[in-house]
């Protein structure tokens, strides 16, 4: 209740309230669990380097957010600049600690690295509300998980079209740019997974020839991946449990890590990905969706500027996408270069008739096909006929009245 009151008091745009204060604190606590609190000089050096990485990313994110707010015509607030100044001051002190460790092997009169880490976490909790962004939180958590030596598997889960592949692609590009890992490999698994097919796809990606039976092929892959050293393997669009040893994916060796994207959280858990190491993707809030739409509509990272007469109808088009990044990206690509209002009205009519195109419908259909029981599929189709505001109790009665043979518990677990 307190968190809700704080949000309502400090945040006038309801569309921006896309996530809860409690979840934000939970994410910070998850990150904090991975932080080394004091110890040897080596531990201190590792801690301060990780902190500097977090501070640099936070500074970059805030600068971009402030630029976006100014692009929208919002004036920078004093509290935003004050918060950014505190962040820069903390970064300067962290650099001083790093230099002291490098020169004398101790922090001398400077604070301990873990104390600066605590100060940073407290500063994040004081972040101005208009600068909050769930995507930034997810990105920050991902970087911390990637940098932590004991984290071997990272999961990204969420509904179809919500942006899992988009996030994984972003990190693949950023890691290649920064050289965080020696090699980054991407393999799309999809729902037609077999061990043989996955072995073949990985071998084609890392450019190695396979031969023999399944076990021999796994041995070849394991040997090749171990030789490459610090490697990140991304398995996109995973639908079921994968026996990594059977495939030939070695973890706990030479810094090899695995990222999996899936719509099914239990798949992450079955593959021994710890709950704290799973990043849950949610639909974008109203302003986040609008920001992404303008970026995709623009050119090379520069947001598009729409003429005033299409702004209102363009926002209606984006709202129809319900915060799903795939739908937003498809609509932005479709509307590039179209400034005449009749094109935008046409787009809105298409969305009203649920004609999103094959690219989006194929994503939705795969979720539908994953509902194995025919009764559950029928239940899903009947649910689609009900208004969005249908209460849960009414929905349950609809299921019962459908006369299905599957128990309600099974239906809720699978649907």
């Amino acid at each position: 209740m307190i968190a809700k009151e704080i949000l309502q008091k400090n945040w006038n745009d309801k569309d921006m309230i896309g996530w809860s204060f409690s979840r934000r604190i939970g994410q910070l606590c998850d990150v904090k669990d991975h932080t080394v609190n004091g110890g040897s000089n080596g531990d201190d050096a590792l801690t301060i380097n990780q902190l500097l990485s977090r501070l640099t990313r936070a500074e970059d994110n805030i600068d971009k957010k402030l630029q976006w707010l100014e692009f929208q015509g919002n004036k920078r607030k004093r509290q935003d600049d004050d918060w950014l100044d505190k962040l820069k001051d903390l970064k300067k002190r962290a650099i001083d600690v790093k230099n002291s460790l490098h020169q004398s092997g101790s922090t001398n009169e400077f604070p301990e690295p873990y104390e600066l880490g605590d100060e940073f976490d407290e500063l994040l909790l004081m972040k101005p509300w208009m600068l909050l962004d769930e995507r930034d939180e997810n990105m920050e958590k991902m970087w911390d998980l990637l940098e932590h030596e004991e984290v071997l598997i990272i999961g990204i889960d969420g509904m179809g079209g919500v942006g899992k592949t988009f996030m994984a692609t972003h990190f693949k590009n950023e890691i290649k740019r920064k050289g965080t890992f020696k090699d980054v490999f991407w393999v799309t698994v999809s729902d037609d997974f077999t061990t043989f097919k996955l072995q073949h796809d990985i071998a084609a990606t890392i450019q190695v020839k396979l031969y023999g039976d399944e076990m021999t092929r796994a041995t070849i892959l394991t040997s090749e991946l171990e030789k490459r050293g610090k490697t990140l393997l991304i398995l996109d669009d995973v639908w079921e449990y994968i026996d990594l040893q059977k495939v030939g994916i070695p973890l706990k060796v030479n810094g090899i890590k695995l990222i999996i994207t899936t719509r099914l959280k239990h798949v992450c858990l079955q593959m021994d990905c710890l709950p704290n190491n799973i990043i849950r993707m949610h639909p974008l809030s109203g302003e986040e969706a609008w920001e992404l739409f303008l970026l995709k509509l623009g050119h090379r990272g520069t947001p598009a500027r729409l003429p005033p007469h299409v702004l209102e109808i363009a926002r209606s088009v984006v709202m129809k996408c319900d915060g799903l990044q795939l739908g937003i990206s498809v609509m932005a690509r479709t509307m590039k270069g179209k400034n005449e209002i009749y094109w935008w009205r046409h787009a809105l009519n298409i969305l009203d008739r649920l004609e999103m195109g094959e690219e989006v419908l194929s994503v939705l259909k795969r979720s539908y096909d994953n509902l194995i029981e025919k009764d559950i599929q029928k239940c899903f189709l009947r649910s689609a006929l009900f208004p969005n505001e249908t209460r849960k109790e009414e929905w349950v009665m609809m299921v019962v009245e459908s006369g299905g043979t599957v128990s309600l518990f099974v239906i809720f677990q699978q649907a």
Side-chain angles (χ1 to χ4, degrees):
M1 179 62 71
I2 295 176
K4 183 178 180 181
E5 290 175 356
I6 294 174
L7 282 168
Q8 290 176 340
K9 181 178 179 182
N10 291 276
W11 216 339
N12 294 324
D13 186 354
K14 294 181 180 179
D15 288 332
M16 291 288 283
I17 307 176
W19 51 280
S20 69
F21 185 72
S22 60
R23 179 149 60 87
R24 170 176 171 73
I25 294 178
Q27 286 182 329
L28 290 175
C29 292
D30 291 344
V31 169
K32 183 74 174 295
D33 288 342
H34 294 305
T35 304
V36 181
N37 288 333
S40 66
N41 290 338
D43 288 341
D44 285 341
L46 176 62
T47 302
I48 202 66
N49 285 333
Q50 290 177 341
L51 176 60
L52 279 170
S53 294
R54 294 177 65 197
L55 286 164
T56 300
R57 291 195 297 270
E59 184 179 0
D60 291 343
N61 287 336
I62 293 302
D63 278 334
K64 291 177 181 177
K65 194 69 178 176
L66 288 172
Q67 289 173 15
W68 167 251
L69 290 173
E70 289 179 336
F71 174 82
Q72 290 181 303
N74 297 317
K75 293 183 178 180
R76 291 176 67 138
K77 295 183 178 180
R78 176 70 178 273
Q79 62 178 6
D80 299 338
D81 288 324
D82 288 346
W83 190 91
L84 188 57
D85 288 342
K86 290 179 182 178
L87 182 71
K88 291 179 177 179
D89 176 69
L90 182 58
K91 182 180 177 181
K92 180 179 180 301
R93 286 185 284 138
I95 293 174
D96 291 338
V97 171
K98 180 179 180 179
N99 292 338
S100 178
L101 282 170
H102 179 71
Q103 293 170 4
S104 63
S106 68
T107 58
N108 295 326
E109 73 277 8
F110 297 107
E112 292 291 335
Y114 76 88
E115 293 176 345
L116 293 177
D118 289 341
E119 188 174 340
F120 180 46
D121 285 346
E122 292 174 4
L123 187 60
L124 285 177
L125 291 174
M126 297 165 56
K127 193 174 182 181
W129 295 101
M130 287 305 292
L131 301 182
L132 294 175
D133 192 327
E134 181 184 3
R135 288 172 296 170
D136 294 344
E137 299 298 321
N138 285 338
M139 296 292 182
E140 179 65 25
K141 183 174 181 179
M142 175 65 85
W143 278 118
D144 280 290
L145 293 173
L146 286 170
E147 292 172 355
H148 196 270
E149 294 181 359
E150 295 181 8
V151 176
L152 305 177
I153 304 177
I154 302 169
I156 305 175
D157 89 300
M159 63 188 291
V162 79
K164 303 180 295 297
T165 299
F166 180 85
M167 182 178 185
T169 301
H170 170 81
F171 272 93
K172 180 193 73 170
N173 296 334
E174 282 295 294
I175 289 168
K176 283 186 174 182
R177 184 176 65 84
K178 294 181 178 181
T180 313
F181 286 78
K182 184 179 178 182
D183 290 302
V184 183
F185 299 116
W186 180 292
V187 177
T188 301
V189 180
S190 198
D191 52 355
D192 59 350
F193 158 78
T194 66
T195 298
F196 183 89
K197 179 177 179 295
L198 182 55
Q199 288 177 328
H200 175 272
D201 291 343
I202 294 175
T205 302
I206 67 177
Q207 298 182 333
V208 62
K209 291 185 178 180
L210 297 181
Y211 57 84
D213 59 14
E214 186 180 274
M215 187 176 296
T216 302
R217 294 160 64 88
T219 302
I220 295 172
L221 283 178
T222 299
S223 175
E224 185 64 29
L225 288 170
E226 288 178 349
K227 284 191 298 185
R228 291 177 178 270
K230 192 175 181 181
T231 299
L232 177 66
L233 177 61
I234 301 173
L235 298 182
D236 184 42
D237 199 23
V238 178
W239 285 79
E240 59 184 281
Y241 168 77
I242 297 174
D243 189 328
L244 300 178
Q245 186 175 358
K246 205 173 177 181
V247 173
I249 300 174
L251 299 178
K252 300 183 180 180
V253 179
N254 295 337
I256 297 175
K257 287 182 184 285
L258 175 67
I259 292 177
I260 58 176
T261 75
T262 179
R263 302 182 194 186
L264 309 169
K265 183 178 180 180
H266 70 265
V267 170
C268 297
L269 299 174
Q270 289 173 353
M271 294 176 65
D272 290 332
C273 180
L274 298 176
N276 285 346
N277 299 342
I278 300 174
I279 296 175
R280 177 72 175 175
M281 299 290 293
H282 297 84
L284 301 178
S285 68
E287 283 304 313
E288 289 170 343
W290 180 243
E291 177 182 346
L292 177 64
F293 181 76
L294 291 182
L295 284 172
K296 293 290 184 180
L297 193 65
H299 183 68
R300 297 186 181 277
T302 302
R305 289 186 180 273
L306 291 173
H309 64 279
V310 302
L311 274 176
E312 184 177 350
I313 195 168
R315 279 191 174 271
S316 297
V317 167
V318 175
M319 286 179 61
K320 290 288 184 180
C321 296
D322 286 330
L324 297 181
Q325 294 190 36
L326 176 60
I328 294 167
S329 299
V330 169
M331 289 308 303
R333 188 167 65 243
T334 302
M335 301 307 295
K336 270 184 178 289
K338 292 181 171 60
N339 292 325
E340 297 85 358
I341 195 167
Y342 59 81
W343 282 115
W344 292 91
R345 286 174 178 157
H346 176 66
L348 190 59
N349 288 334
I350 287 176
L351 290 173
D352 284 336
R353 297 196 302 268
L354 302 179
E355 298 175 9
M356 283 293 291
E358 185 61 32
E359 185 174 352
V360 177
L361 287 177
S362 63
V363 171
L364 299 176
K365 188 175 185 302
R366 287 169 64 196
S367 287
Y368 172 76
D369 291 340
N370 194 53
L371 301 173
I372 301 172
E373 294 285 346
K374 293 296 181 183
D375 285 334
I376 298 176
Q377 289 185 346
K378 291 177 182 177
C379 173
F380 173 83
L381 293 175
R382 288 193 62 189
S383 299
L385 300 176
F386 279 66
N388 290 336
E389 60 270 15
T390 301
R391 292 185 298 116
K392 186 185 298 183
E393 294 80 4
E394 295 173 337
W395 189 86
V396 171
M397 290 304 298
M398 178 199 68
V399 173
V400 175
E401 291 170 0
S402 67
T405 57
V406 183
S407 71
L408 287 177
F409 176 77
V410 173
I411 290 174
F412 284 134
Q413 289 297 310
Q414 295 187 22

